[in-house]
Each structure stands twice: as C-alpha cells, then as structure tokens.
Amino acid sequence: MDSTNYETYKKDLLKNESVRIEYEKLEEEFILAKEVMELRKEKNLTQTELAKEVGTSQPAIARLESGNYKNLSLKFLRKVAEALGAVPEVHIKKKVG
C-alpha cells in the first residue's frame, strides 16, 4: 500500500469514534514507528542492514517499525537513531482532561 492510499485508509478508519479513541492511545508508538521507517528508507537501508548496524536482529527492527514493541529502552532507541543519523527526543507531558 503506498503512502497516499494508507493516509486515505487511515482517515476513513479514524471517522469511527471507537477506532479514533484507540488510535489516539497508541499515537506516540505510531509516530515513532513511522519516523524510524522513513529515516531508514531515506538512508536506503533494509531492516536487516539497519539491524546489523545497530547490533540487533531484523525482527527487533520490524517490531519497532510496527509499533509492536515491549520494554523499549532509551539505550536501544539511541543506537537506532545513531545508525540513522538522528537523535531521539523524549518528553513527559501532563495529561489533558
């Protein structure tokens, strides 16, 4: 699915209130996954090549890019960012409402 079709599909799905609420709960994970994927593609790296640079496995990179990761450490995120020529940013915000 190309990015235009994905964005259209996502927009349609988010019209459903229950889908939108669940999406918003996971929004940071989706944003991180998308950023990693975009940076990796800009560097013309496969998941396997990025994994090798980071010193991890391809499935670990796939989990990061899917947003389906548990216990993501800042140390790991720094390694991924460094391999991609980037730096991670971490913020803590007050809850709204």
Side-chain angles (χ1 to χ4, degrees), residues 4-57:
T4 305
N5 288 340
Y6 169 78
E7 291 300 325
T8 301
Y9 179 68
K10 183 176 91 172
K11 184 177 177 181
D12 288 343
L13 282 176
L14 293 176
K15 290 177 184 175
N16 179 311
E17 183 177 0
S18 62
V19 171
R20 183 181 47 75
I21 289 168
E22 291 304 311
Y23 178 86
E24 288 172 357
K25 288 180 187 177
L26 299 171
E27 188 172 14
E28 284 94 11
E29 287 88 347
F30 290 136
I31 290 169
L32 176 60
K34 184 177 178 184
E35 288 172 344
V36 169
M37 200 177 322
E38 287 175 351
L39 288 169
R40 178 179 59 77
K41 288 179 179 180
E42 282 177 20
K43 290 195 69 144
N44 294 312
L45 294 172
T46 65
Q47 289 181 346
T48 301
E49 291 166 335
L50 176 58
K52 186 175 180 179
E53 285 193 35
V54 173
T56 192
S57 65

Side-chain angles (χ1 to χ4, degrees), residues 46-94:
T46 65
Q47 289 181 346
T48 301
E49 291 166 335
L50 176 58
K52 186 175 180 179
E53 285 193 35
V54 173
T56 192
S57 65
Q58 178 275 328
I61 299 299
R63 283 190 301 274
L64 178 61
E65 289 187 359
S66 73
N68 184 22
Y69 43 82
K70 305 280 190 260
N71 303 319
L72 178 65
S73 72
L74 187 52
K75 181 179 180 179
F76 176 72
L77 193 54
R78 281 186 181 129
K79 286 181 180 182
V80 171
E82 184 176 325
L84 296 172
V87 293
E89 290 184 357
V90 177
H91 305 273
I92 297 176
K93 300 177 187 178
K94 287 184 178 180

